[in-house]
Amino acid sequence: VAKGAGKGQWRRYQAALHNQVLDRLELRAELDQAIVDRSFVLQYQPIVDLRTGAASGLEALVRWQHPTRGLLAPGRFIDVAEESGQIVPIGDWVIEQALADAAQWRGSGEDGPYVSINVSARQFSDPGFVDRALQRLAAAALPADRLVLEITETLLLRDDDQTRQDLARLRQAGIRVAIDDFGTGYSSLSYLRKVPADVLKIEKSFIDAVSTQPQQRALVEGILRLAHTLGLTVVAEGIEEEADRAALVAAGCRYGQGYLFCRPMNNPDVLTWLADAQVAA
Ligand code: C2E
Ligand code: MG
Ligand code: MG
Ligand code: MG
């Protein structure tokens, strides 16, 4: 609050803060119930080959089926769940459900698309996370290369022994690790050199102006060159315009996702969508 602001303004500020705290407490209590009732659903957004539109993988995106407020996007509850630790049981459910769905996509014997699952830092640091993930993967009878775990730069930047070991164990098992929202954190391009990851997902804000702003295009081209030199697969996020898709292809970006191709959809629709789309390598 600005210095010299009136008493009334201060009171309104306090009241707003008070309401925010109450909202979060209420949300937390409701989330407890949701975890017991398993009131979450997963939607899936295809990750496609930008040249052909063929399906490569699908990203699992969690939603909360709230009893009165409808279907809530993760932006409405993930923060609170991370703060409270509730993200751990929610995330366990996400992994179990997504693996079951991915096993279903494979059909009879053939290699289906991979499933890409978001894991928050809090979840990843939970003791036993890696063990549980490996157990669930074995139980789902899904090949390890059909699973990608998306983590954020912030987690990688911690650069502590435990994180390094956990990432190494996952990758030794054949699970791929993706850096989500690349470009939003504080990491420099040079840090990519020592990053224990397989996939780099370039954040939407970098993608939006790729076809119209030469500087932006040069930046994305730089990221692509470096990533490819390091053997990383690159996925462009949030592609909405055909011109951006074309510019990305011209810049050598092979994979992407976004409303241009497909919005997140419910699992039953994935099977229909896959039946029409061809599956890419
Ligand atoms: P994210 O992992 O970066 O996922 C991409 C977000 O962009 C998704 O929002 C997706 O629906 C949206 N998106 C995809 N294509 C487009 C597009 O062309 N235009 C626009 N405007 N948006 C697009 P969503 O589903 O609301 O998820 C938001 C974030 O919540 C995710 O960002 C991820 O960080 C987090 N999240 C989602 N599911 C989970 C989960 O199961 N566990 C954890 N820990 N976090 C999750
Ligand atoms: Mg993601
Ligand atoms: Mg992202
Ligand atoms: Mg994100």
Side-chain angles (χ1 to χ4, degrees), residues 28 42 46 62 76 108-109 111 125 166 182 280:
R28 216 162 131 164
L42 290 182
V62 71
R76 300 276 298 278
S108 48
D111 250 11
S125 327
D166 287 343
F182 182 77

Side-chain angles (χ1 to χ4, degrees), residues 42-43 45 59-63 73-75 78 82 87 90-91 94-95 117-121 123 150 152 180-181 201 203-204 208 237-241 257-264:
L42 290 182
Q43 289 188 340
Q45 184 180 42
E59 177 173 6
L61 297 159
V62 71
R63 279 90 180 83
I78 290 285
E82 270 177 38
I87 192 64
I90 295 171
V94 167
I95 292 183
I117 302 177
N118 293 284
V119 178
S120 75
Q123 227 182 313
E150 300 190 7
T152 53
D180 201 359
D181 302 333
K201 300 189 75 173
E203 221 274 320
K204 174 174 173 38
D208 283 340
E237 297 192 271
I239 305 171
E240 292 179 352
E241 308 282 340
Q257 58 190 119
Y259 295 168
L260 176 66
F261 309 100
C262 194
R263 288 192 177 242

Side-chain angles (χ1 to χ4, degrees), residues 98-132:
L99 289 174
D101 291 340
Q104 185 197 7
W105 304 333
R106 289 185 77 213
S108 48
E110 267 176 73
D111 250 11
Y114 66 81
V115 67
S116 204
I117 302 177
N118 293 284
V119 178
S120 75
R122 173 75 182 256
Q123 227 182 313
F124 194 89
S125 327
D126 189 63
F129 170 80
V130 173
D131 286 328
R132 291 199 303 278

